Amino acid sequence: MCNVKVTAEKRFAVQQHLSRDKHINGLERNVPNRSEYFLDLTRTFLSCNIPLNKLENPAFSKFLEKYTNKQTPDRSTLRKNYVSICYDETIQMIRSYVENKKLWVSINETTDANGRYVANVIIEVLEKTNHSTIAKVLDKSLSILWPQGIIHDNVLLFLSDAAPYMVKAATSIQTYYSKMIHVTCLAHALHRVAEEIRIHFPNVDELINNVKKVFLKAPSRIQIFKTMAPDIPLPPRPVLTRWGTWLNASMYYCDHFELIKEIINQLDGEDAVAVSKAQNLFSNHISNIYNSIRNFRTEIQKTPNQIGKIIYQKLSTTLNKNKGFKIISNISDILNGQGTTNEIPDDLTANDLAFFKYSPITSVDVERSFSIYKNLLADNRRSFLFENLKQALVVQCNSSECTVEYKCYTQLKMRSLPGGDQFSSGDG
C-alpha cells in the first residue's frame, strides 16, 4: 500500500515499518473514501443476517436506488472495505463497555457443519479440542478484549460444561486468574440426572419413541388424533440433547395416557411398524408403564424405591464434582448473613463477593449462541472464509438491538456483574 519493500525475515521488522509515518500516510492515500451509506448498509445486513449477495438481486437493487437515490454497491466492495470496519467498531464498543468492570466468562465448543472445531470464544478454529486449546483460546480472546494487557483480577467467574478437558483447562488457567471461580453448568448436571432416569425406565422410553414415530409425517393419523383429542397437542418429540424434553414427554403421557392408548388402538397395526410396536407396548406393559409414569414425579422427590435412590445418588455425585458450585453456594450464604469464609479463595476480597449476588450458574447463554452461528453458516453459505464468518458473527451478536439488555463478545459471552451497569439475563 505504501510501495516500500520490507525485509520479512523477522516479524519485528514488519511491525516496526507498520508504525512509521511513511506507511501510515501511504495507507491513507490508497484507502478509498468511506461512504456512510455503504457502512450503514453493511452494518444492517450483518446485524440482520442478510447475505451481502442479495444486493445483486435486480429488484432489490432497484428498490434501494429508487428510495435512497444512491448507487447500490457491489457485494465485494462491502466485504472488502466495510465489513472489517463494522467488526472493529463492534470490538471497540465492547472494550469500552467492559472497561474496569468485573466479568464472568463462559466457554463451550462444538463441531460445525464443515467439521471444524469451533470454540465459543471470539470464534476460533481449533486444531483439536482439549484442555490446552481451550486455555489458549480463553487467554487469546481476553487479550483482544484488553490489548494493553489482560486485567486478570477482573475475571471472577468461569462457566463451562463438565467435560473433563474443560475442568482441566479451568484448573490450569486459575494459576493466572487467581480470583476466578470455575462453575460447571447446573443445567448440564440436571440433564445427566434426567438421562439416569431414562435408563431406568426402558419401557417408557420405548413407548415415547414409537408413539412419536406414529404421527411423524403422517397427515391421516394426525387427523385422527385431532378428531379424537382436539384439546391436547400431538405427542411430543423429545430430543435427547435438549435438556428436559424427555421428562416433559413423560409428563405428557402421565396426563393423557388412556386417551393416547385409545387413539393408538384405533390405528391399523399393519400400516406401519411403529404403530404395531406402540399397540404392543400399550397392551403388554400397561401396568408397568402406567405405574412408572404415574409415580414419576414422586420418585425423584421422595425416593421411595431403589431406582429413586439411584437417581438421588446420581444428583448428589454430580453436584459434589462441581467444586465451584460449592464456593458459589458458600458466597450466597455469606451474602445472606450466614456461612463462613473458610472455603472462599484467599484472593477474593469482600468487595469481590458482592459482585456474585446475581452470578449465573448455567451456561445456557453460550449454548444459545451456537444457534446464531449455525443459522449464519447455512447450507447455501459454505463459501464463507472463517475470518469473514467471525467478523459477521461479532457484528450480528452485538447489534444495538441485542445489546440493550445483553452483551456478548461474539462467542465469548461476557456480562458485567452487578456493581457497574446492570443488565437482566433475558433470552439474549
Side-chain angles (χ1 to χ4, degrees):
M1 298 294 287
C2 62
N3 199 28
V4 174
K5 293 183 179 181
V6 181
T7 302
E9 294 178 357
K10 294 184 178 180
R11 182 166 174 261
F12 170 75
V14 180
Q15 289 179 320
Q16 189 179 46
H17 169 73
L18 293 177
S19 63
R20 290 177 176 169
D21 291 339
K22 189 170 185 179
H23 173 79
I24 296 173
N25 294 334
L27 186 65
E28 291 176 351
R29 286 194 302 270
N30 285 279
V31 174
N33 293 329
R34 305 300 184 188
S35 166
E36 195 67 25
Y37 169 66
F38 287 3
L39 184 60
D40 288 342
L41 187 64
T42 306
R43 189 183 295 113
T44 301
F45 270 53
L46 294 178
S47 299
C48 299
N49 193 22
I50 302 175
L52 295 178
N53 61 12
K54 296 297 182 184
L55 293 169
E56 298 178 354
N57 185 299
F60 185 56
S61 177
K62 290 180 180 179
F63 172 82
L64 289 178
E65 292 176 358
K66 177 180 179 180
Y67 288 99
T68 64
N69 294 321
K70 296 179 182 294
Q71 180 185 2
T72 301
D74 186 82
R75 64 170 177 174
S76 61
T77 300
L78 301 187
R79 186 179 68 250
K80 294 177 181 178
N81 299 323
Y82 292 92
V83 171
S84 59
I85 296 177
C86 294
Y87 170 76
D88 292 337
E89 287 179 349
T90 304
I91 291 295
Q92 188 56 46
M93 177 196 69
I94 297 169
R95 287 173 180 166
S96 300
Y97 174 75
V98 303
E99 186 177 9
N100 298 324
K101 289 185 172 70
K102 304 294 184 180
L103 306 176
W104 67 270
V105 181
S106 186
I107 294 182
N108 206 345
E109 55 77 32
T110 188
T111 305
D112 69 9
N114 290 342
R116 296 172 295 197
Y117 294 102
V118 182
N120 234 1
V121 188
I122 307 298
I123 300 300
E124 294 288 342
V125 180
L126 306 179
E127 296 177 1
K128 54 184 177 180
T129 303
N130 56 35
H131 75 282
S132 177
T133 56
I134 293 297
K136 289 177 181 178
V137 80
L138 171 63
D139 212 51
K140 181 179 178 181
S141 301
L142 291 178
S143 67
I144 295 176
L145 184 63
W146 288 301
Q148 304 302 323
I150 298 175
I151 307 175
H152 295 83
D153 287 349
N154 277 12
V155 182
L156 300 182
L157 181 62
F158 173 33
L159 281 168
S160 72
D161 57 23
Y165 63 83
M166 282 291 187
V167 177
K168 192 172 182 180
T171 302
S172 63
I173 62 180
Q174 279 176 320
T175 305
Y176 303 100
Y177 301 87
S178 57
K179 290 188 176 184
M180 187 183 74
I181 297 173
H182 177 226
V183 178
T184 56
C185 177
L186 268 296
H188 280 84
L190 295 179
H191 181 64
R192 287 197 295 276
V193 174
E195 284 293 286
E196 186 72 17
I197 295 171
R198 186 175 69 88
I199 290 172
H200 289 281
F201 292 95
N203 290 334
V204 178
D205 187 37
E206 190 176 0
L207 178 69
I208 292 173
N209 187 42
N210 280 282
V211 175
K212 176 184 70 173
K213 294 178 181 178
V214 168
F215 299 99
L216 184 64
K217 296 181 180 179
S220 59
R221 296 179 206 146
I222 292 176
Q223 187 59 44
I224 294 173
F225 182 95
K226 290 182 177 180
T227 302
M228 298 183 65
D231 298 327
I232 66 173
L234 287 168
R237 302 174 183 176
V239 180
L240 298 183
T241 55
R242 295 183 180 176
W243 302 327
T245 54
W246 190 89
L247 293 180
N248 291 334
S250 300
M251 303 305 179
Y252 172 89
Y253 286 97
C254 179
D255 295 332
H256 310 294
F257 189 88
E258 293 297 338
L259 183 56
I260 301 298
K261 170 192 169 185
E262 182 181 352
I263 295 172
I264 292 296
N265 288 334
Q266 290 289 328
L267 303 177
D268 184 3
E270 297 182 357
D271 189 29
V273 175
V275 175
S276 61
K277 284 186 177 181
Q279 290 175 342
N280 290 333
L281 285 167
F282 274 110
S283 61
N284 297 334
H285 303 289
I286 283 294
S287 60
N288 291 337
I289 295 176
Y290 184 67
N291 289 333
S292 296
I293 297 176
R294 186 180 59 186
N295 296 327
F296 193 69
R297 293 185 177 97
T298 57
E299 285 179 339
I300 299 177
Q301 298 173 349
K302 299 180 181 179
T303 61
N305 53 31
Q306 187 62 31
I307 292 178
K309 293 179 181 178
I310 293 173
I311 295 169
Y312 178 78
Q313 182 61 38
K314 175 68 175 180
L315 177 61
S316 300
T317 302
T318 302
L319 294 179
N320 288 336
K321 289 181 179 179
N322 195 344
K323 297 179 181 180
F325 178 64
K326 295 179 182 178
I327 299 175
I328 293 292
S329 300
N330 197 11
I331 292 175
S332 177
D333 291 338
I334 293 172
L335 295 176
N336 290 325
Q338 305 170 358
T340 63
T341 59
N342 294 337
E343 297 185 10
I344 303 299
D346 296 334
D347 290 338
L348 285 177
T349 65
N351 181 57
D352 292 330
L353 298 184
F355 288 94
F356 284 92
K357 185 175 182 180
Y358 300 104
S359 61
I361 56 174
T362 71
S363 58
V364 174
D365 291 325
V366 77
E367 296 286 351
R368 287 196 186 106
S369 65
F370 281 125
S371 63
I372 300 176
Y373 172 68
K374 291 173 182 177
N375 287 336
L376 183 62
L377 190 66
D379 291 338
N380 60 343
R381 302 178 75 181
R382 297 296 174 80
S383 60
F384 249 128
L385 294 178
F386 206 83
E387 182 65 22
N388 295 336
L389 179 63
K390 179 184 75 172
Q391 293 181 355
L393 192 59
V394 170
V395 177
Q396 184 182 342
C397 287
N398 292 278
S399 61
S400 58
E401 290 78 9
C402 297
T403 55
V404 171
E405 53 176 60
Y406 183 66
K407 295 281 182 178
C408 63
Y409 190 40
T410 356
Q411 293 225 359
L412 173 64
K413 294 291 184 180
M414 293 185 174
R415 254 183 298 169
S416 172
L417 293 175
D421 296 333
Q422 297 184 14
F423 290 82
S424 60
S425 59
D427 287 331

